[in-house]
Amino acid sequence: MKRGATGSSSESTPASHVGAAARVSGLFGDLTAGAVSTLVMLCYAMSLGTLIFSADLARYAELGVPTALISCIVTALVIALTSSMRLNIAGPDSNATAFLAGVAAGVASSVHADGGSPQTLLLTVLIAIALCSVLTGIVLFGIGSSKRSRSLQFLPYPVVGGFLAGTGYLLLAGAFRVLTGEAPQWHTLGLLTHLHWLAWVPALVIGVLTTILTRGQQHIAALPFVLVCGVALFYVLLRLAGLSIDDARNMGLLLPHVKLHFFPDLRVPAPLAQGAIDWPAIAAHLPETLIVTSASAITILMNSTAIGAATGEDIDLNREMRAAGLANIASGLLGGMVGYQSYNRSMLNARAGATSRLAGVFAALACLAALAASPDLVALFPVPVLVGLQLFMGLRLMLQWLFGAYARLNWYEYALVPGMLAVVAFYGVVAGVIAGVIAACVMFALLYGRVSCVRMAFDAATRTSSVERSIEDSAQLRERGAQVYGLCLQGFLFFGTANSILQRVRERLQANGAVAVRYVVLDFASTNGMDASVSVAFVKLRQLCASSGADLVLTALPARSRSLLAKSGTLNLRIHEFATLDAGLEWIEDRVLESCCVLPRSDEQDFRATLAPHFTLPALAKLCDCLEVRDLVAGEPLFLRGEPGDALYIVERGRVAVSLPLSDGRLVRLRSFGPGTVVGEMAVYTQTTRSADVVAESPTRVHRLSAPALFALERDDPVAAQQFHRFLIKTIAARLAVADEALRAAY
């Protein structure tokens, strides 16, 4: 026993050592990846934080870095703990930051126009940035909670392209403002020639080098490597130029020193506590906040999908939206900017050896330590390197969407991209996005309007109801089938497709030499909605039918479409409406047969006269001697499913319905049989049980021919039996002819 215990212990020890080694290795990988992610997050915070405070806010550029660091810390921590993917790294992103810079610049302009002090201007901008984060977080959390995240995928692709191309322009314009302090215009381009070469040479080298290195198959560590090289290059050039760090800071090549004091609920410089907040200026730019929110939601969708595909992890888009929402609410309450899941940083985290959420948590805490220990460290970061980063991001987006998208889009779709870019450049972000959405809607209307909304056209000869008619009645319906003109509609109906329906009906009603149409049928079973303009088209359609002496019949209207037509009064124009196409066709067939008057349509019609065209007088007399009369009240079953097939029935008057019982107790009507038709013959000929229920729909009289009586007729009077079998063959052939015509019309 001791040896067994000892052996068991010796066998378990290596396994425990392996597990401990794996845990230590995983911990080391997480800490290493977290350290790398920390450096990258600091680089992004320096570049994107500075991007917010450009143009009129350039003198406060150093305040953007702590704002971005707050976002890095909070969003990275919250998303690392709540994301559906273990290796997610979050933080500020260039797409949302570019629009956030527009919000900040717009708020600053409004405050300046209101005569606000510099303290009021800066405090209002900081509050606007924080409020934008909170509102974005609320919207994102709402999208995730409502489980509507995937609906964002339906944003028109060209609009996304124009939006990103406009983002690229904003980045380039921001780089120009940082260098010159002016907006990019033809008359301000000359300011570039007055810059010290240290201001533009590193920026140009960084922008071009990063663009080249990240083209094609981008290496995940390319951007951090270029940032390190850019900082080193700047200080080498600074030394070669014989300038000190103070000289560089006085020339605007480095961020200035600003001591920050932290309040419990908002991070601002102490003198700003005395400034007022210009709330009207913030309210005036709330629509631009929605653009930031839209950019964030779209980028989260694309980044999360790309991360999941690259890492093989299952993603929950709704959970990602909720995580980003919570992160931005917390970031905004602490004075941070908008941030969310980053594809580049998450992939770098994975490549650096991360195995769990610990890497993201460690990166967030390391950034917090850097901010708390040495907030002025960011003042040593060169402004030209930040400008180079903006040039890189702007050039990448411009190249991707102005040139790369041309091969992926049709010419009319691609035209939206430079069009939106031009509007953004001249009139701003909001105008550009609105113009793009309007153009996409117009394009959709024009293109979709060319797609036929008619799934199938039919008449009474090619499409019949489920009511089985006598051979003579079926022949009459085929002969007069052109009196019915029907259209089975599909898709979403709007003014473009509604006008095409109107034009198609007009051409049929006014066709020279064609049989006059008495019934126009529109079936909505395959439609999924309509807009208000359709009601106007249907008023015109009803007037057109009335002028031609035709009745307008609408079938299978969806509830919302019917409500829309009812509100507009369209259904009050003597339009016939039925729940199904089958019900509408049955009503039309009854009306057509009533107008024919070939056979009497009353309850007193002569049964013998109905069968006379198919039998000789002796054979008909012999057959009638074999028949048993049975009268049914409405709802009384003729026979039920599972009963033996011991007889067939010829309907004299009234109507019986073939129904299939369902497991929930409901009955589905398959077909109805009217006067002159035969029902129940298949079970007799195949000698099987009944496959469905047959129930009288109204007071009905049938004539029963039992199987023994049929066999006796075949034995005693073969001629009469032969004529009866021929009558049944004609009846079945008429059914097959109707089915064949319907099949031909469908295909």
Side-chain angles (χ1 to χ4, degrees):
M1 295 293 294
K2 290 184 179 179
R3 259 183 286 180
T6 304
S8 175
S9 175
S10 63
E11 291 175 1
S12 63
T13 300
S16 63
H17 286 171
V18 170
R23 288 192 294 272
V24 171
S25 177
L27 178 61
F28 179 77
D30 288 334
L31 295 179
T32 302
V36 173
S37 297
T38 300
L39 295 177
V40 177
M41 290 164 64
L42 289 173
C43 292
Y44 272 97
M46 293 175 187
S47 59
L48 299 179
T50 305
L51 175 62
I52 299 178
F53 291 86
S54 57
D56 294 339
L57 297 171
R59 72 186 71 176
Y60 310 112
E62 74 285 350
L63 294 180
V65 178
T67 301
L69 279 173
I70 290 292
S71 177
C72 285
I73 296 167
V74 176
T75 57
L77 182 61
V78 173
I79 290 179
L81 295 175
T82 60
S83 172
S84 61
M85 293 178 286
R86 296 174 295 112
L87 307 182
N88 247 338
I89 296 292
D93 182 80
S94 58
N95 289 337
T97 302
F99 289 105
L100 194 58
V103 174
V107 171
S109 298
S110 298
V111 175
H112 183 74
D114 294 339
S117 64
Q119 290 82 6
T120 297
L121 184 148
L122 187 54
L123 185 58
T124 302
V125 168
L126 291 173
I127 292 295
I129 292 172
L131 185 60
C132 183
S133 298
V134 173
L135 294 178
T136 298
I138 293 173
V139 173
L140 294 179
F141 187 82
I143 293 174
S145 299
S146 63
K147 299 183 180 181
R148 299 300 179 99
S149 299
R150 291 189 179 273
S151 62
L152 297 171
Q153 299 176 80
F154 300 108
L155 189 72
Y157 187 68
V159 174
V160 176
F163 156 74
L164 294 175
T167 301
Y169 169 79
L170 292 176
L171 289 168
L172 295 178
F176 186 89
R177 289 192 191 97
V178 170
L179 288 174
T180 65
E182 297 288 341
Q185 308 227 349
W186 289 114
H187 66 275
T188 60
L189 294 179
L191 295 175
L192 293 174
T193 61
H194 301 292
L195 296 175
H196 191 279
W197 63 271
L198 267 177
W200 59 269
V201 169
L204 185 61
V205 171
I206 293 299
V208 174
L209 180 61
T210 311
T211 301
I212 294 174
L213 291 179
T214 55
R215 289 190 66 182
Q217 187 67 28
Q218 177 180 345
H219 193 279
I220 204 67
L223 183 58
F225 173 76
V226 172
L227 286 175
V228 173
C229 292
V231 174
L233 173 65
F234 173 80
Y235 279 102
V236 169
L237 294 178
L238 185 66
R239 186 173 183 82
L240 292 177
L243 298 175
S244 66
I245 292 180
D246 291 336
D247 293 335
R249 182 167 287 108
N250 292 332
M251 294 169 59
L253 301 179
L254 293 175
L255 298 178
H257 286 286
V258 173
K259 298 295 183 180
L260 301 179
H261 302 277
F262 292 83
F263 289 87
D265 52 354
L266 183 65
R267 174 211 43 76
V268 294
L272 296 182
Q274 303 172 1
I277 300 174
D278 191 343
W279 291 108
I282 295 176
H285 294 273
L286 280 180
E288 298 175 25
T289 300
L290 298 179
I291 304 300
V292 177
T293 302
S294 301
S296 302
I298 295 168
T299 308
I300 292 170
L301 176 69
M302 294 188 294
N303 286 353
S304 298
T305 303
I307 294 170
T311 61
E313 292 191 74
D314 293 332
I315 62 170
D316 183 344
L317 291 178
N318 293 313
R319 182 174 172 182
E320 295 301 323
M321 287 292 178
R322 292 194 299 271
L326 292 174
N328 279 282
I329 292 173
S331 176
L333 293 176
L334 294 173
M337 59 190 286
V338 173
Y340 41 76
Q341 296 86 337
S342 169
Y343 174 78
N344 285 339
R345 278 160 275 183
S346 297
M347 292 309 301
L348 178 60
N349 186 46
R351 298 281 178 83
T355 60
S356 69
R357 302 178 187 273
L358 180 61
V361 174
F362 177 79
L365 297 178
C367 284
L368 176 61
L371 180 62
S374 182
D376 287 339
L377 183 63
V378 297
L380 296 176
F381 201 88
V383 171
V385 174
L386 301 178
V387 172
L389 280 176
Q390 295 178 48
L391 289 174
F392 153 67
M393 291 185 289
L395 286 173
R396 182 184 63 175
L397 289 174
M398 298 280 279
L399 289 173
Q400 180 180 359
W401 292 102
L402 283 182
F403 300 100
Y406 183 78
R408 302 193 301 268
L409 301 174
N410 295 318
W411 68 267
Y412 48 84
E413 293 177 321
Y414 174 77
L416 279 178
V417 177
M420 285 184 62
L421 174 60
V423 176
V424 169
F426 287 100
Y427 300 103
V429 174
V430 176
V433 174
I434 292 175
V437 171
I438 292 175
C441 292
V442 172
M443 183 187 302
F444 171 81
L446 294 176
L447 294 177
Y448 192 79
R450 295 167 58 186
V451 178
S452 177
C453 63
V454 177
R455 183 172 58 88
M456 181 181 67
F458 63 88
D459 57 23
T462 59
R463 185 68 179 263
T464 63
S465 71
S466 62
V467 176
E468 183 81 12
R469 310 282 180 178
S470 67
I471 297 175
E472 290 73 22
D473 286 352
S474 298
Q476 291 295 330
L477 290 175
R478 286 196 299 272
E479 181 181 343
R480 291 167 173 77
Q483 294 181 2
V484 178
Y485 181 64
L487 298 174
C488 292
L489 308 179
Q490 63 182 356
F492 184 83
L493 306 180
F494 66 108
F495 59 88
T497 52
N499 288 331
S500 68
I501 298 171
L502 180 62
Q503 182 62 28
R504 193 159 178 169
V505 173
R506 180 183 289 113
E507 291 175 357
R508 176 63 181 86
L509 293 178
Q510 298 176 353
N512 295 327
V515 177
V517 175
R518 290 185 54 196
Y519 302 95
V520 175
V521 184
L522 299 180
D523 179 55
F524 294 81
S526 297
T527 63
N528 48 30
M530 64 175 63
D531 67 5
S533 62
V534 175
S535 61
V536 178
F538 275 89
V539 171
K540 296 179 181 179
L541 182 60
R542 175 67 187 92
Q543 295 171 349
L544 176 63
C545 292
S547 64
S548 301
D551 289 327
L552 180 59
V553 179
L554 307 182
T555 65
L557 267 172
R560 292 185 179 180
S561 300
R562 190 186 187 286
S563 175
L564 182 62
L565 293 178
K567 289 179 180 178
S568 63
T570 306
L571 296 180
N572 299 330
L573 301 175
R574 297 182 61 187
I575 294 177
H576 306 283
E577 183 191 356
F578 296 91
T580 63
L581 176 60
D582 184 70
L585 290 175
E586 180 181 336
W587 177 80
I588 292 174
E589 290 170 357
D590 290 340
R591 296 281 297 272
V592 171
L593 291 174
E594 286 175 3
S595 65
C596 295
C597 296
V598 175
L599 293 175
R601 308 312 301 171
S602 67
D603 289 343
E604 304 299 327
Q605 68 179 11
D606 188 357
F607 177 67
R608 288 176 178 264
T610 303
L611 299 180
H614 309 285
F615 295 86
T616 61
L617 290 178
L620 181 58
K622 185 63 176 177
L623 174 65
C624 290
D625 291 340
C626 299
L627 298 177
E628 305 172 18
V629 178
R630 181 178 175 184
D631 291 315
L632 304 172
V633 298
E636 182 180 352
L638 181 60
F639 53 77
L640 298 176
R641 182 183 183 186
E643 293 182 352
D646 56 355
L648 58 84
Y649 301 86
I650 304 174
V651 181
E652 175 182 341
R653 62 172 179 260
R655 186 173 294 174
V656 296
V658 179
S659 302
L660 184 66
L662 300 180
S663 58
D664 58 2
R666 294 184 297 112
L667 291 177
V668 176
R669 191 183 84 161
L670 303 178
R671 199 159 182 81
S672 293
F673 290 78
T677 61
V678 181
V679 62
E681 76 283 359
M682 296 304 296
V684 173
Y685 278 90
T686 59
Q687 296 183 356
T688 57
T689 59
R690 305 293 187 184
S691 59
D693 297 343
V694 175
V695 180
E697 290 187 319
S698 60
T700 303
R701 169 171 289 183
V702 297
H703 294 259
R704 182 178 185 269
L705 178 62
S706 65
L710 177 59
F711 298 150
L713 182 65
E714 292 173 340
R715 183 185 65 248
D716 300 338
D717 194 339
V719 174
Q722 182 184 30
Q723 293 182 22
F724 178 73
H725 291 315
R726 186 182 295 116
F727 168 68
L728 284 182
I729 292 174
K730 290 180 182 179
T731 301
I732 297 173
R735 295 178 192 170
L736 294 177
V738 171
D740 182 63
E741 289 292 340
L743 189 62
R744 290 175 183 272
Y747 292 95

